[in-house]
């Protein structure tokens, strides 16, 4: 398959709600395989279709938890139910999050501890995953991409201000900006 370029903060594909998938066909299977290759090359634990410039409701994920259990899959047309997030300030260590579309940076963000993902596989079979901890965070992060949000859009004021400063310094914020996993690098990792 192929590694795809990842869109950077400010690209319109990242800031628009994605459309439902209607065809479970070979084109979808190729897109999913390319997204998995891209996620691995980046490297990341999740990747949503808008991040590669495709405005469809789809994300892939692969995460190994502390018990060495690998959680991986493809979520087509997902619905995500979450517990209420705690009302507290984000912890800089425990809540630190990054994004392949805001590469090389991490900021703390409070997320819900539990999530229930309902979606379809690449072949159209329905499935459900109950998640907690980091897997729940990954689902929320990728699901946000499908609604046109990046995690930096949800940061507390001081962190949002710092993210804005970084975006301006790197001249991010417009259409067509992207990076290529395996070719481009960012200090601090993606």
């Amino acid at each position: 398959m192929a590694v795809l370029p990842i869109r950077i903060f400010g690209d319109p594909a990242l800031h628009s709600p994605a459309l439902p998938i209607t065809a479970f066909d070979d084109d979808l299977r190729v897109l999913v395989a390319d997204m998995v290759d891209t996620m691995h090359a980046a490297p990341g634990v999740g990747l949503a279709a808008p991040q590669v410039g495709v405005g469809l409701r789809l994300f892939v994920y692969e995460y190994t938890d502390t018990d060495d259990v690998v959680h991986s899959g493809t979520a087509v047309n997902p619905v995500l139910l979450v517990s209420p997030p705690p009302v507290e300030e984000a912890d800089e260590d425990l809540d630190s999050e990054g994004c392949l579309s805001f590469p090389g940076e991490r900021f703390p963000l409070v997320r819900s501890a539990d999530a229930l993902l309902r979606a379809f596989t690449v072949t159209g079979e329905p499935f459900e995953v109950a998640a907690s901890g980091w897997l729940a965070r990954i689902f929320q992060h990728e699901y946000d991409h499908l609604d046109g949000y990046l995690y930096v859009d949800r940061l507390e004021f001081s962190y949002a201000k710092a993210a804005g400063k970084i975006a301006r310094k790197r001249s991010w914020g417009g259409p067509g900006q992207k990076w290529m996993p395996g070719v481009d690098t960012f200090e601090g990792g993606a």
Side-chain angles (χ1 to χ4, degrees):
M1 294 294 123
V3 173
L4 306 171
I6 297 176
R7 304 295 175 100
I8 293 177
F9 173 82
D11 188 286
L14 296 171
H15 303 284
S16 303
L19 300 173
I21 290 173
T22 57
F24 292 81
D25 57 12
D26 286 341
D27 289 342
L28 179 61
R29 284 184 279 287
V30 168
L31 174 61
V32 167
D34 290 348
M35 287 175 59
V36 169
D37 287 348
T38 303
M39 176 181 65
H40 289 158
V45 294
L47 185 69
Q51 292 181 273
V52 294
V54 179
L56 295 175
R57 297 192 72 77
L58 158 71
F59 68 81
V60 296
Y61 62 94
E62 185 173 308
Y63 166 69
T64 304
D65 66 23
T66 56
D67 295 326
D68 289 330
V69 175
V70 177
H71 305 271
S72 65
T74 300
V76 178
N77 295 334
V79 172
L80 189 66
L81 306 170
V82 296
S83 63
V87 180
E88 59 189 30
E89 287 190 27
D91 181 285
E92 290 192 16
D93 295 320
L94 298 176
D95 297 321
S96 183
E97 199 168 305
C99 181
L100 298 175
S101 290
F102 203 91
E105 303 299 329
R106 297 185 69 79
F107 293 100
L109 176 64
V110 174
R111 295 274 193 185
S112 298
D114 301 296
L116 179 65
L117 174 68
R118 292 181 177 149
F120 295 89
T121 66
V122 71
T123 59
E125 299 298 318
F127 72 93
E128 185 174 285
V129 176
S132 60
W134 274 101
L135 186 58
R137 178 178 293 274
I138 292 165
F139 288 167
Q140 291 168 78
H141 180 106
E142 300 308 329
Y143 191 82
D144 272 354
H145 280 298
L146 305 183
D147 288 337
Y149 296 102
L150 275 71
Y151 87 110
V152 293
D153 297 326
R154 299 192 181 282
L155 296 175
E156 294 172 12
F157 178 75
S158 62
Y159 299 116
K161 187 175 174 182
K165 185 176 180 180
I166 289 166
R168 285 187 300 280
K169 182 178 179 184
R170 294 185 179 169
S171 299
W172 293 347
Q177 295 179 319
K178 52 193 163 202
W179 70 280
M180 192 68 186
V183 175
D184 301 320
T185 59
F186 290 91
E187 189 175 313

